[in-house]
């Protein structure tokens, strides 16, 4: 018994006529959608009910199971798969037949037969952990959402525990952008000749140079007021730094989502859908359906010894000069990694993207190649070389010229040899002279923080331990569905509604949705044992804290100080409204970090400057009193 019909078809092709493979098509039971579904007075016991259409569907599965001698439940090898297995087990145990659990981390004939021989049971640790997470999320949603309705006077608002943490990241980043003031600075360079080679020296400074700094430096080194007086500089010091750039590790779910978004602009949902199809299998040359990648929900970069040897064998045959001579073994996992699964890798490196491209869709081919290349790259030599720095002092000032010498590009020569894009290496020795010809002072501006993309948000979730691989894509989908965030050219910003909801939640529920509390709770959920008391104790502690907050007086929003736009405008996703960076501020910010103070309109001096993102991607600044005040300007 598996979750998807595609996986059922693949496994059917591996087993003989004595086997029957059926699909549950995902979960069969869940908490009710419109009622609480948790018995608070009975140790927070969940009250599951059949999902629509699943009772009749499962009846046909039971009818087939009655004819069998034993039953294997092969739902996905994670917590969600384990609770599906538990619900199936509860229904099938009435048949009084042997029931075993299969945890397939890849869909291959060898793996299926191996797991069948193990005859494993359910993991009650994973079941209790999943129940605790589901119950805590249900309690938070059903207790906090009505509070949002009452306090913000907007019906049907919803609050999610982890979603609220991620929404706060997005809102805080938007406030950083809004409060950002550009700073102009200069970079001083000298152009001239060293050993008959034209080069450019950069002025070395710890601080950003202002216009008057440039004038003072040029005066000190005698370029001003008479440029002809400055002739040459002498090379007095040569520094070298070793370069060793290790290849990237194989993909975890988060790094796959981030790389897929950056390279192909696939959103998280699309990437996981494609990865699921590669995991479940494709019919290849022989006519046999073959799983192409390992399980795609993992926070680990660990690779099994068997898989590593397969990769090394492929590299020895096709890229012998790139294979690392060091046996890397097991690398240290990230702090918040559960390490329950291996990294996401190709099942057989010999199935190259070119060989199987005709059996895949265009997008499947792209993602498979990305996974295949990343796995092989992780087994290759590092890039090694050195950075050379020439120093040219003049009085108390220092100019320098630097370049890299790459001795071995290592993994960067894969899949094709690296082109020579290095800066021209200038051979010089102490005492050599740089002959001055001209100078330039390039004007630059500091840049505001970048908005998150889906990939960067997912990466942050993994790095901080907020959320888990099975929930990354769902969290972002939920925020978009609730219209708390909007996306423009792949950049994510809060909607007006999202800003308001976040401001209220963080003002009153910070202890439950703060990053530190959220990641600590995730860790505690991971550590739940198969003892039910372990789960009840954690849920009870969370419930008591939430009730204590709900009984306390609410802190009120100072809504006039929130620079948010009309809610109706926010819902227009073709022309989304972001709260973007304001013009340079002349007034001080408020002490409270929870609200954003907007700049006073420079024309009427009564309204404040609002922003929105135009269709061409430029920020439009306008007065909040429009049409009574016609102030408007645009980004250059």
């Amino acid at each position: 018994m598996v979750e998807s019909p595609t996986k059922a078809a693949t496994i059917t092709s591996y087993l003989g006529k004595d086997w029957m493979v059926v699909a549950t098509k995902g979960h069969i039971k869940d908490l009710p959608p419109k009622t609480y579904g948790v018995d608070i007075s009975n140790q927070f016991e969940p009250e599951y009910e059949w999902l629509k259409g699943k009772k009749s569907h499962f009846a046909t599965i039971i009818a087939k199971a009655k004819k069998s001698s034993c039953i294997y439940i092969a739902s996905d090898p994670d917590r969600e798969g384990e609770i599906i297995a538990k619900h199936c087990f509860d229904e099938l145990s009435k048949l009084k037949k042997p029931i075993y659990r299969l945890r397939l981390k890849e869909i291959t004939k060898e793996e299926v037969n191996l797991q069948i021989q193990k005859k494993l049971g359910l993991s009650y640790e994973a079941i209790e952990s999943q129940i605790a997470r589901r119950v805590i999320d249900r309690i938070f949603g059903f207790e906090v959402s009505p509070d949002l309705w009452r306090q913000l006077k907007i019906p049907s608002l919803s609050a999610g525990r982890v979603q609220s943490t991620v929404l706060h990241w997005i809102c805080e980043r938007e406030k950083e952008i809004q409060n950002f003031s550009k700073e102009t600075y200069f970079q001083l360079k000298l152009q001239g000749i060293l050993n008959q080679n034209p080069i450019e020296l950069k002025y070395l400074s710890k601080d950003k140079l202002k216009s008057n700094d440039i004038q003072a430096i040029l005066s000190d080194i005698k370029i001003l007021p008479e440029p002809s007086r400055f002739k040459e500089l002498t090379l007095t010091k040569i520094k070298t730094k070793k370069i060793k750039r290790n290849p990237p590790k194989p993909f975890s779910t988060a790094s796959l989502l981030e790389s897929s978004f950056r390279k192909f602009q696939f959103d998280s949902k699309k990437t996981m859908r494609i990865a699921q199809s590669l995991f479940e299998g494709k019919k290849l040359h022989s006519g046999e359906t073959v799983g192409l990648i390992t399980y795609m929900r993992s926070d680990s970069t660990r690779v099994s010894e068997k898989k590593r040897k397969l990769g090394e064998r492929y590299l020895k045959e096709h890229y012998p000069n790139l294979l690392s001579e060091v046996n890397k073994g097991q690398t240290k996992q990230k702090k918040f990694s559960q390490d329950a699964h291996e990294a996401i890798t190709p099942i057989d490196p010999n199935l190259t993207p070119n060989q199987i491209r005709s059996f895949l869709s265009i997008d499947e081919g792209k993602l498979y190649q990305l996974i295949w290349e990343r796995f092989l790259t992780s087994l290759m030599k590092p890039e090694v070389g050195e950075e050379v720095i020439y120093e040219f002092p003049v009085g108390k000032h220092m100019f320098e010229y630097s370049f890299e010498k790459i001795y071995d590009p290592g993994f960067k020569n894969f899949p094709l040899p690296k082109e020579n894009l290095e800066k021209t290496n200038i051979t010089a020795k102490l005492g050599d002279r740089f002959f001055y010809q001209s100078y330039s002072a390039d004007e630059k501006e500091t840049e505001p923080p970048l908005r998150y993309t889906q990939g960067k948000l997912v990466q942050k979730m993994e790095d901080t331990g907020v959320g888990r691989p099975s929930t990354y894509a769902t969290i972002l989908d939920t925020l978009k569905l609730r219209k708390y965030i909007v996306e423009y050219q792949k950049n994510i910003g809060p909607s007006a509604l999202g800003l308001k909801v976040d401001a209220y939640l963080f003002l009153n529920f910070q202890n439950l949705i703060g990053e530190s509390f959220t990641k600590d709770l995730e860790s505690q959920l991971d550590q739940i044992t198969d003892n039910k008391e372990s789960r009840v104790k954690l849920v009870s502690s969370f419930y008591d804290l939430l009730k204590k907050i709900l009984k306390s007086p609410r802190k009120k929003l100072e809504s006039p100080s929130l620079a948010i736009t009309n809610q109706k405008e926010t819902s227009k996703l073709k022309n989304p409204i972001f709260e973007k960076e304001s013009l340079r501020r002349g007034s001080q910010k408020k002490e409270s970090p929870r609200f954003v103070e907007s700049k006073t309109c420079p024309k009427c001096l009564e309204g404040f400057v609002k922003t929105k993102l135009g269709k061409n991607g430029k920020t439009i600044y306008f007065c909040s009193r429009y049409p009574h005040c016609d102030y408007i300007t645009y980004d250059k």
Side-chain angles (χ1 to χ4, degrees):
M1 186 181 305
V2 297
E3 289 185 44
S4 78
T6 303
K7 194 190 295 184
T10 302
I11 295 176
T12 296
S13 69
Y14 299 154
L15 302 173
K17 61 182 180 179
D18 295 332
W19 290 81
M20 182 181 299
V21 186
V22 296
T24 65
K25 299 180 182 179
H27 283 270
I28 62 170
K29 295 181 180 181
D30 197 4
L31 299 179
K34 294 183 179 180
T35 58
Y36 210 120
V38 177
D39 189 347
I40 303 296
S41 61
N42 183 26
Q43 295 188 311
F44 303 95
E45 197 63 25
E47 299 171 345
Y48 292 107
E49 64 177 33
W50 286 97
L51 292 171
K52 186 177 180 181
K54 288 300 180 75
K55 190 170 185 178
S56 59
H57 173 66
F58 204 78
T60 63
I61 292 177
I62 290 176
K64 294 176 181 179
K66 286 179 179 178
K67 303 174 184 178
S68 65
S69 58
C70 65
I71 301 167
Y72 288 86
I73 304 175
S75 48
D76 286 348
D78 57 16
R79 287 198 189 92
E80 292 301 312
E82 209 65 32
I83 198 66
I84 292 172
K86 173 66 164 59
H87 291 154
C88 293
F89 179 89
D90 290 344
E91 296 299 320
L92 294 168
S93 59
K94 301 168 187 175
L95 301 179
K96 307 295 184 184
K97 295 177 183 287
I99 303 176
Y100 305 107
R101 176 79 167 102
L102 290 186
R103 296 182 183 86
L104 302 174
K105 296 179 181 178
E106 55 185 58
I107 309 298
T108 61
K109 190 172 185 178
E110 181 183 9
E111 175 72 2
V112 170
N113 288 325
L114 176 65
Q115 293 298 326
I116 286 174
Q117 298 304 316
K118 290 184 177 181
K119 297 186 184 305
L120 299 173
L122 296 173
S123 169
Y124 286 95
E125 291 93 342
I127 291 168
E128 291 297 318
S129 178
Q130 198 279 341
I131 292 173
R133 177 177 275 100
R134 188 76 179 92
V135 168
I136 283 175
D137 288 345
R138 173 55 62 99
I139 289 172
F140 185 92
F142 266 67
E143 295 287 351
V144 176
S145 296
D147 188 69
L148 269 178
W149 310 340
R150 289 190 296 269
Q151 300 298 329
L152 299 188
K153 296 179 173 53
I154 303 175
S156 303
L157 290 179
S158 296
R161 179 179 61 85
V162 180
Q163 294 97 311
S164 297
T165 304
V166 176
L167 174 62
H168 186 66
W169 292 344
I170 296 168
C171 291
E172 287 300 291
R173 177 59 56 87
E174 201 66 24
K175 292 171 187 177
E176 289 174 20
I177 293 171
Q178 210 174 34
N179 288 327
F180 178 79
S181 293
K182 290 183 180 180
E183 181 183 358
T184 301
Y185 66 99
F186 295 85
Q187 187 172 65
L188 178 60
K189 299 177 183 178
L190 303 182
Q191 293 82 34
I193 302 295
L194 176 65
N195 293 344
Q196 300 182 345
N197 294 292
I199 66 168
E200 191 171 63
L201 305 186
K202 292 183 179 179
Y203 183 77
L204 194 61
S205 174
K206 293 181 180 179
D207 303 316
K208 290 182 171 64
L209 300 176
K210 305 298 182 183
S211 178
N212 57 341
D213 296 328
I214 297 293
Q215 296 298 314
I217 294 167
L218 293 175
S219 297
D220 280 353
I221 63 178
K222 309 303 182 186
I223 287 182
L224 294 179
E226 298 180 31
S228 60
R229 293 182 62 186
F230 186 75
K231 302 289 186 181
E232 60 189 46
L233 293 174
T234 301
L235 175 58
T236 61
K237 191 173 184 178
I238 300 175
K239 296 192 296 187
T240 59
K241 297 179 183 178
K242 288 185 178 180
I243 294 172
K244 183 181 179 181
R245 299 185 179 110
N246 290 315
K249 295 178 182 179
F251 283 127
S252 63
T253 299
S255 57
L256 175 63
L257 294 178
E258 197 277 332
S259 294
S260 172
F261 178 84
R262 176 166 38 82
K263 197 170 180 71
F264 309 126
Q265 300 295 291
F266 292 171
D267 63 27
S268 300
K269 190 174 182 180
K270 180 175 182 178
T271 297
M272 292 307 289
R273 185 177 69 249
I274 297 171
Q276 180 86 35
S277 71
L278 296 175
F279 169 70
E280 291 178 347
K282 293 291 176 181
K283 189 171 285 190
L284 302 182
H285 315 78
S286 62
E288 183 181 47
T289 304
V290 178
L292 297 177
I293 65 171
T294 54
Y295 191 55
M296 63 286 165
R297 294 186 180 94
S298 172
D299 55 8
S300 173
T301 56
R302 175 173 55 85
V303 174
S304 68
E305 184 72 9
K306 177 184 174 183
K307 192 62 57 68
R308 183 180 60 79
K309 286 182 176 178
L310 277 174
E312 289 177 345
R313 195 175 302 137
Y314 178 86
L315 290 175
K316 282 179 182 176
E317 184 177 348
H318 299 280
Y319 299 90
N321 295 330
L322 299 184
L323 178 61
S324 174
E325 298 171 359
V326 180
N327 185 341
K328 297 180 181 179
Q330 299 307 328
T331 57
K332 184 178 179 181
Q333 299 304 304
K334 288 190 175 182
K335 180 178 179 181
F336 301 107
S337 171
Q338 297 172 248
D339 201 31
H341 304 295
E342 295 178 27
I344 304 167
T345 65
I347 287 173
D348 183 0
N350 292 292
L351 288 175
T352 67
N354 286 336
Q355 285 178 333
I356 64 173
R357 201 174 299 279
S358 60
F359 301 94
L360 306 176
S361 70
I362 293 175
D363 289 343
E364 287 171 339
K366 287 179 179 179
L367 196 67
Y368 181 74
Q369 179 154 356
L370 190 67
I371 295 169
W372 182 83
E373 288 184 358
R374 179 68 166 250
F375 167 63
L376 292 175
T377 298
S378 71
L379 301 174
M380 294 180 184
K381 294 178 180 178
E383 179 185 35
V384 293
E386 67 177 7
E387 181 186 19
V388 181
I389 302 169
Y390 294 157
E391 292 188 351
F392 298 84
V394 49
K396 63 180 181 180
H397 304 288
M398 179 67 71
F399 292 86
E400 68 174 26
Y401 174 76
S402 64
F403 58 91
E404 290 184 354
K405 289 182 179 179
I406 301 299
Y407 304 131
D408 184 354
F411 70 94
K412 290 192 175 178
N413 266 343
F414 177 79
L416 298 173
K418 182 181 178 183
E419 295 181 15
N420 186 12
L421 300 176
E422 300 171 9
K423 292 170 65 175
T424 304
N425 295 345
I426 307 296
T427 303
K429 61 183 184 300
L430 296 178
D432 285 352
R433 296 178 180 179
F434 166 83
F435 295 98
Y436 167 76
Q437 293 177 329
S438 61
Y439 77 88
S440 62
D442 299 339
E443 184 176 342
K444 297 179 178 294
E445 285 186 334
T446 54
E447 296 294 329
L450 296 175
R451 288 189 178 91
Y452 290 108
T453 61
Q454 285 200 20
K456 292 298 182 185
L457 276 172
V458 169
Q459 196 68 61
K460 182 165 183 174
M461 281 188 256
E462 182 186 71
D463 292 343
T464 57
V466 170
R468 286 294 178 256
S470 59
T471 63
Y472 292 152
T474 307
I475 288 168
L476 297 177
D477 275 350
T478 301
L479 289 173
K480 283 202 283 188
L481 183 65
R482 292 174 179 167
K483 293 184 170 56
Y484 292 169
I485 61 174
V486 286
E487 197 169 8
Y488 184 81
Q489 296 181 343
K490 306 303 180 181
N491 294 313
I492 294 174
S495 66
L497 181 60
L499 279 166
K500 195 169 186 178
V501 167
D502 171 68
Y504 177 76
L505 288 177
F506 216 76
L507 199 61
N508 290 282
F509 297 92
Q510 181 178 356
N511 289 343
L512 293 180
I513 64 173
E515 181 181 311
S516 177
F517 179 87
T518 304
K519 68 185 181 186
D520 287 345
L521 181 59
E522 290 286 357
S523 178
Q524 292 174 59
L525 287 165
D526 292 340
Q527 294 167 14
I528 285 178
T529 67
D530 59 358
N531 185 341
K532 181 181 173 181
E533 290 181 8
S534 165
R535 182 239 302 175
V536 173
K537 184 177 179 181
L538 180 59
V539 175
S540 178
S541 175
F542 180 87
Y543 182 76
D544 290 343
L545 179 57
L546 176 57
K547 278 298 185 181
K548 183 178 179 181
I549 293 173
L550 289 170
K551 289 177 182 178
S552 63
R554 294 297 174 280
K555 298 174 185 176
K556 299 294 183 181
L557 286 178
E558 298 174 21
S559 52
S561 64
L562 278 172
I564 59 176
T565 53
N566 186 294
Q567 184 182 343
K568 291 182 180 178
E569 288 178 312
T570 307
S571 65
K572 298 176 182 177
L573 298 183
K574 292 184 179 179
N575 184 21
I577 305 300
F578 282 179
E579 292 305 322
K580 203 175 179 185
E581 52 265 42
S582 298
L583 298 172
R584 188 170 300 171
R585 302 175 184 280
S587 57
Q588 294 295 316
K589 299 173 190 176
K590 289 190 177 181
E591 291 182 6
S592 170
R594 299 288 163 241
F595 304 106
V596 181
E597 183 183 9
S598 293
K599 179 180 174 176
T600 302
C601 173
K603 186 169 184 178
C604 70
L605 303 178
E606 293 181 28
F608 57 87
V609 176
K610 295 174 67 174
T611 64
K612 71 177 181 178
L613 203 60
K615 291 182 179 179
N616 60 359
K618 293 183 178 181
T619 301
I620 302 172
Y621 303 89
F622 61 100
C623 181
S624 61
R625 295 181 62 245
Y626 178 85
H628 304 292
C629 174
D630 61 358
Y631 170 77
I632 188 168
T633 187
Y634 304 85
D635 261 350
K636 293 180 182 180

